[in-house]
Amino acid sequence: MAIAFTFPGQGSQSVGMGKELAEAFPEARAVFAEVDDALGEKLSALMWEGPEETLTLTANAQPALMAVSMAVMRVMESRGFSLAGSAACVAGHSLGEYSALCAAGMFTIADTARLLRIRGNAMQAAVPAGEGAMAAVIGLEEPDVAAVCQEASAIGPCQIANDNGGGQIVISGAKPAVEKAAALAGEKGAKRAIMLPVSAPFHSSMMTPAADAMREALATVEKKAPVVPVIANVTVSPLTDPQEIAGRLVEQVTGRVRWRETVQWFAANNIGTAYEIGSGKVLTGLARRIDKSVSGIAVNTPADIETALAALA
């Protein structure tokens, strides 16, 4: 059985993340210093000391999560691990796709940090506060959620943002339309439809200004072919051409994160283990719920790294 490396998205951040790595490994400290230098500020201090509400801001959480993922990768590489020699592919949830591409060598750490800062700021600025919303629909199948979004679209943009699998689908768009879709989902038999405490309608057509900003930003950075294919969020297909990947990253801002299908792609392509590299265990839990033939293993502490290296050896 082959393995994949996966990288978490927003929501996996927590105050203190990466601190144990920095204390244990000079390679991890070097990553956090490189991200701080690229952004011209001590993001690492915010990560380790908080406050949580500042770390949670999109423009901070995105580069911070990438930094933790890359700290884990650099420590593993310092012990002789090679992504090209071990993994069939990489994939990341939303911003995690940037972490995946950085790990696979398409972007430098500094460029990835700057791209994610631009992405976070652009997504925040795309829609005035209060006009957009997101909701999690629990216990309803994708076709039914798509149908309620279609019906609610009569009063404003509304679409599936994240198909996370395991009966969890996130919808996004104009606040009145999302509220209507959430109510309709309840009528259709959803167990719950919960409005999410987010600051903008991510992965919806309302993010078009942010997609335009990312198109400009991605055009300015050096891009190398990744050492292993990335399974793109928006196409669920393995990509290696840097220009095509950059185009898919632009589409991803307004498009759906197809994570359920990504894990199903792993299963269909003989990938039995998905190592989740970075903060939290969200993707590991999702893998278990989507397809039990794919084992998720979270790697984010010094002990996790030792265990993973032993297994990969």
Side-chain angles (χ1 to χ4, degrees), residues 61-103:
Q62 295 197 18
L65 284 162
M66 180 278 299
V68 178
S69 292
M70 289 310 302
V72 173
M73 288 298 303
R74 291 292 184 260
V75 172
M76 292 180 69
E77 288 163 357
S78 76
R79 305 295 185 85
F81 172 77
S82 163
L83 189 67
S86 301
C89 61
V90 293
H93 193 287
S94 190
L95 85 89
E97 193 162 349
Y98 286 80
S99 306
L101 290 163
C102 185

Side-chain angles (χ1 to χ4, degrees), residues 27 63 67 82 94 107 144 166 213 221 235 240 242 298 300:
E27 298 85 2
S82 163
S94 190
F107 301 126
D144 291 326
V221 299
T235 62
T240 55
N300 56 39

Side-chain angles (χ1 to χ4, degrees), residues 165-176:
Q168 184 202 90
I169 295 176
V170 177
I171 62 176
S172 182
K175 190 176 182 184

Side-chain angles (χ1 to χ4, degrees), residues 287-298:
R288 193 177 301 121
R289 294 205 295 271
I290 295 166
D291 193 312
K292 288 187 167 46
S293 72
V294 180
S295 300
I297 299 176

Side-chain angles (χ1 to χ4, degrees), residues 17 41 43 46-47 53-65 116-117 120:
M17 65 180 187
E41 64 185 66
L43 182 65
L46 175 62
M47 291 163 60
E53 58 269 22
T54 308
L55 176 61
T56 301
L57 293 174
T58 302
N60 294 326
Q62 295 197 18
L65 284 162
L116 287 171
R117 173 56 58 84

Side-chain angles (χ1 to χ4, degrees), residues 117-238:
R117 173 56 58 84
I118 292 166
R119 185 177 184 268
N121 281 328
M123 291 171 86
Q124 195 61 63
V127 178
E131 290 190 12
M134 300 179 77
V137 179
I138 311 296
L140 207 58
E141 294 300 315
E142 187 271 342
D144 291 326
V145 179
V148 301
C149 287
Q150 180 68 37
E151 189 173 340
S153 291
I155 60 171
C158 184
Q159 67 195 75
I160 293 175
N162 301 341
D163 181 356
N164 286 331
Q168 184 202 90
I169 295 176
V170 177
I171 62 176
S172 182
K175 190 176 182 184
V178 171
E179 288 172 340
K180 180 175 175 63
L184 290 168
E187 292 170 15
K188 270 196 177 283
K191 291 176 185 172
R192 283 182 294 165
I194 312 152
M195 300 301 291
L196 298 177
V198 295
S199 49
F202 304 130
H203 298 290
S204 78
S205 60
M206 297 175 78
M207 288 285 111
T208 298
D212 294 339
M214 291 317 297
R215 184 179 293 105
E216 290 180 21
L218 285 159
T220 66
V221 299
E222 183 184 6
K223 295 175 280 290
K224 295 180 179 176
V227 297
V228 294
V230 62
I231 310 305
N233 280 183
V234 294
T235 62
V236 198
S237 56

